[in-house]
Each structure stands twice: as structure tokens, then as C-alpha cells.
Amino acid sequence: MHKMGRYRIIDLLGRGGHAEIYLARVEGEGGFSKPVALKRQRGQSSPQTSSRRALLAEARLNALLDHPNIASVYDIFEEDGELILVMEYLHGLNLRQLCQQLYAAGQLMPVAMALHIGAELLAGLAHAHSARDERGSPLQLIHRDVSPENVFLCANGSVKLTDFGIARSIIAPRDTRIGVVRGKARYLSPEQARGEELEVGTDVFAIGLVLYELLTGVPALEGDSERELMLQTQQVNPATVLQYRQDVHERVLTILALALAPHPSQRYPSAQAMARDLRAVLSWLEPSYSQIDLKAFLDSLCGPMLEQQWRRIWQDQSTQVAEIISATPSNASEGHTSSEHTRGMALGASAQPENERLSKDEETGASTSQRETSSAKEGAKSKTSARRGVDLESLRRAINEAYDPEEK
């Protein structure tokens, strides 16, 4: 298991044309450990490489965003000429994966759940749209890539917008500015498909497309080519939702119609305005719906997959905790540390060497049985170090042994 910088690599999460995403952990004293995701883009050795400039801009942009509905970026560093972005690790699944799970189960997403996810996303977008740079100037940020792949549902029920890699802003590289069509063809606004100047309405339109798909289980735009998809962006009819289900209230269809209007001036003026309407309808349909309900739904539909993810994160942690146990001073593990020794440890005194401690036992007439008991305990700790348990219970037991010796 190798490292990138100070991060221990656990697994490869995914690989694209120019980037790789790794599951990793940062570790510290006393068993501290936190999972993170590392994004490494290859081919960045030259400072003029466009992918390098884009990654630097993405890191700087994310550093200016601080919202519970936006995935965080912690750091960026360079190793062997390649930039590596340190991001918040999200335990859960993206909306695309959830839609596939629902399809496999023959289910449609509950209306309240779809409205809740849409409102949470819009809250994150509203924050991004109003963000400012270090000098207080508006970033004029447009995400441009709101799609099910870039919406993450965490196992705890929180909703996160991810991947600002092609976002348009005043600090974005030139190739992400006006005139270049970027984003997934199935989730483009009409003006985005035409390569025109973009406003916040383009992200609102994309949210409308995502919400339509959550309610129906099928994309709003269908076609065999990007050209066909782009031509359909001006012809989305929200009323067709009723062809797939009858439990969608007219107020929801009205919200969709305002979000999916062909011209930006006919849409919601802001993400916040659309979020307000979604929450109003949600409170009318199901007043108590919250993150807790989303978590319960994910547990019921995707529980085994989420558990497997968790085990992958911590699969080797029990071994590392066991190493901490074996490094615990033996006299402390025996549970009779003297007050003088405690004060010495607090002042930075080192633990008494094992051979000196045994000699002292012999001088004071320690019985053979006492020494055998000590050896048995040392043997037990060696067995603990060799244990390779992966399950949650073994990890908790190992941590308890490491930090509360009297519980052994």
C-alpha cells in the first residue's frame, strides 16, 4: 500500500481519460484517521498544460465555496510533476447510481424525496452563484455540469453537488469561458447548447431536467446523438411526467415548467427562488420530510452496498490499531501504573525498558506465576497485532483496548 504525499492509498475509485480518483486516508498520532479522495490528473508536467491550469482553478474555486450541499476540497499538492487534489470523501452513491438501483427494483422515487433533493441542490447552487473571490468581487460562477453523475447522496442523508471542473467564473481558464460548449448533452440548457453567454438560469434549467428524471425514472431529453439532444432542449414538456405517474401534484408541474422554460428570462430568476417554491410544496405534501427520511430510504434500498463501501474504507484499520496496542507501554497495560510513573510520562519520560522491568521483578522476588501472567498478556497482544478482522465489532474492540487498557 503506497502513499501520495502524506496520504495512504487504499483503492482506485475510478479512472477517466486524464484523471484518476483514489480512496485514501490521512493518518496521525494515536490512531487518528480520516478518509479522503485524491484526484490526480496526468500529463501536467508543463505549467502551460490546460488540464493543469483547470485543476488549479478548480482547487482555488472550491476553496472559496463553503456550504453543506457542496463537496469540499481540502488541499492541492504536487508529486512527481503531477498535481493532486485532496477532496472530501463521500460515502454513498451518486444520483445516477440511485436511479439504476430504483430501476432494478422496479420503483419510482417518492415525490417528497425528489423535491427534497432538488431543494438541497438549489441551496448549494444559490451559494455558488453568489460567491465572491478573495477581494470581494463576485465570481459570476455557473456550474454548467449539473447532472445525476455530479449529485451525491451520502449515507447519512446529506446531498452534495460535486465537480466544479468546468464551471465558468472570472477565475476560470480561458477554455471554460463563453463560446465553448461544455457539459453533458443530455443536461444542457438551450443557450448552453448554442454556445451563448450563460447566466444562473442555465443551472436552473439543468436542475429542472434532473428533477424531471427523478420523478419519471427516464431522462427528459432522449436521442441517439448529441445534436438530437441539443435540439430537444427547447421542447421539454413537463406535463409528460403524468405519463409515468399520477401522484405528481399540479404545483410540482408548474415548478418544472418555470425551470424548463426555453428562454432564461422566462425561468426562475435564481436558484434560491426555485428552492423556495420546492420547499413550500414539500412542506404542504409532507411537512416532516428531512435528511433522516432520505437516509432511511438509502438504507432500505442500498444498505448492503453502503456497508461494503464502509468496509473498504476501514478494511486494514483494525490491523493498524492493533499495532498501536502492541506499542502501548506494558506496565500501563497491566493496569497498575504508579502516580510517580504517571507524572513522569506526562513530563515526557519514556516507558521503562522491558528487560529492566523484568530484572526489577526478579530483585523484588516476583513469583514465577506473575512472570508467566505477564508473558501471557504479551502473547495476547501479539495475537491482537496479527488479527486481521475487518468487521465493525473487531475495530471497536481494538480501539477500546488501545485507549482503555482496564477494559481488556
Side-chain angles (χ1 to χ4, degrees):
M1 184 179 296
H2 67 288
K3 287 189 173 184
M4 289 185 189
R6 64 193 185 102
Y7 301 94
R8 183 189 294 270
I9 303 302
I10 299 174
D11 201 358
L12 176 67
L13 293 178
R15 178 182 286 120
H18 300 285
E20 297 171 339
I21 305 293
Y22 293 91
L23 168 62
R25 280 204 310 270
V26 58
E27 298 167 344
E29 295 296 326
F32 171 84
S33 182
K34 184 178 180 63
V36 296
L38 302 182
K39 180 179 181 179
R40 178 174 70 175
Q41 285 191 307
R42 297 186 177 278
Q44 305 165 356
S45 56
S46 169
Q48 304 303 318
T49 304
S50 60
S51 61
R52 182 185 181 92
R53 294 197 306 269
L55 193 65
L56 287 170
E58 181 182 354
R60 181 184 170 195
L61 183 62
N62 274 271
L64 296 168
L65 303 176
D66 183 13
H67 193 274
N69 296 119
I70 296 177
S72 299
V73 170
Y74 300 138
D75 194 10
I76 188 169
F77 66 96
E78 187 169 355
E79 184 175 87
D80 298 330
E82 295 177 338
L83 288 177
I84 300 171
L85 202 62
V86 184
M87 306 180 296
E88 175 183 8
Y89 174 73
L90 302 176
H91 174 207
L93 70 169
N94 64 37
L95 267 185
R96 172 65 61 224
Q97 293 169 316
L98 178 62
C99 289
Q100 292 169 347
Q101 293 272 343
L102 286 167
Y103 180 82
Q107 299 181 31
L108 287 174
M109 182 178 291
V111 174
M113 180 175 166
L115 298 183
H116 172 77
I117 291 173
E120 293 288 285
L121 284 176
L122 287 161
L125 277 174
H127 172 78
H129 290 163
S130 62
R132 297 175 178 271
D133 67 11
E134 301 90 337
R135 297 170 297 177
S137 302
L139 284 174
Q140 302 175 24
L141 189 156
I142 309 296
H143 188 283
R144 300 203 307 175
D145 197 17
V146 178
S147 62
E149 290 81 3
N150 290 335
V151 176
F152 209 89
L153 306 180
C154 298
N156 65 5
S158 59
V159 180
K160 303 272 188 177
L161 180 62
T162 69
D163 200 347
F164 283 76
I166 65 167
R168 193 220 71 184
S169 74
I170 60 173
I171 64 174
R174 184 173 300 173
D175 59 358
T176 66
R177 293 183 182 273
I178 301 167
V180 179
V181 178
R182 301 291 297 275
K184 301 176 182 68
R186 201 177 296 279
Y187 302 96
L188 296 180
S189 66
E191 63 274 18
Q192 191 175 2
R194 295 191 295 264
E196 298 175 354
E197 183 174 356
L198 303 181
E199 299 177 355
V200 296
T202 198
D203 286 342
V204 169
F205 190 92
I207 288 286
L209 293 175
V210 170
L211 184 56
Y212 181 102
E213 187 167 345
L214 296 186
L215 291 170
T216 64
V218 298
L221 306 181
E222 296 281 6
D224 297 328
S225 67
E226 289 191 0
R227 177 175 173 79
E228 286 183 38
L229 293 171
M230 290 180 180
L231 290 174
Q232 289 183 42
T233 59
Q234 299 188 61
Q235 303 169 3
V236 182
N237 181 7
T240 56
V241 169
L242 299 177
Q243 297 176 7
Y244 299 92
R245 63 193 304 168
Q246 297 296 315
D247 59 342
V248 178
H249 194 272
E250 184 179 350
R251 292 175 64 178
V252 177
L253 299 180
T254 300
I255 292 173
L256 279 176
L258 285 171
L260 295 171
H263 197 276
S265 63
Q266 300 170 325
R267 297 177 206 146
Y268 280 103
S270 66
Q272 186 176 10
M274 184 178 176
R276 188 182 299 114
D277 278 2
L278 281 180
R279 293 197 186 280
V281 175
L282 178 59
S283 65
W284 176 67
L285 290 174
E286 197 166 333
S288 63
Y289 195 93
S290 69
Q291 176 178 333
I292 297 174
D293 299 284
L294 179 53
K295 178 185 184 304
F297 186 90
L298 295 177
D299 285 341
S300 65
L301 184 68
C302 313
M305 184 186 74
L306 297 175
E307 177 66 18
Q308 186 178 11
Q309 273 188 12
W310 190 93
R311 290 176 182 273
R312 178 170 61 173
I313 299 170
W314 300 109
Q315 60 187 343
D316 63 334
Q317 183 69 355
S318 58
T319 302
Q320 294 179 37
V321 173
E323 292 171 356
I324 295 172
I325 296 171
S326 63
T328 302
S330 57
N331 55 353
S333 69
E334 291 174 2
H336 57 264
T337 305
S338 69
S339 59
E340 287 294 325
H341 181 74
T342 301
R343 286 195 293 271
M345 291 298 288
L347 292 172
S350 60
Q352 192 176 20
E354 180 69 13
N355 59 345
E356 293 181 15
R357 182 180 63 78
L358 291 177
S359 297
K360 188 174 181 180
D361 284 345
E362 292 170 356
E363 291 174 3
T364 57
S367 67
T368 303
S369 61
Q370 288 176 317
R371 291 196 298 273
E372 289 174 349
T373 300
S374 176
S375 298
K377 290 183 177 180
E378 294 299 327
K381 287 189 291 184
S382 297
K383 291 180 180 179
T384 303
S385 299
R387 190 179 297 128
R388 300 286 173 173
V390 177
D391 60 289
L392 176 60
E393 192 57 40
S394 68
L395 177 57
R396 286 174 176 161
R397 185 167 57 251
I399 292 174
N400 286 337
E401 290 175 355
Y403 292 101
D404 196 353
E406 293 183 359
E407 293 294 325
K408 287 184 178 181

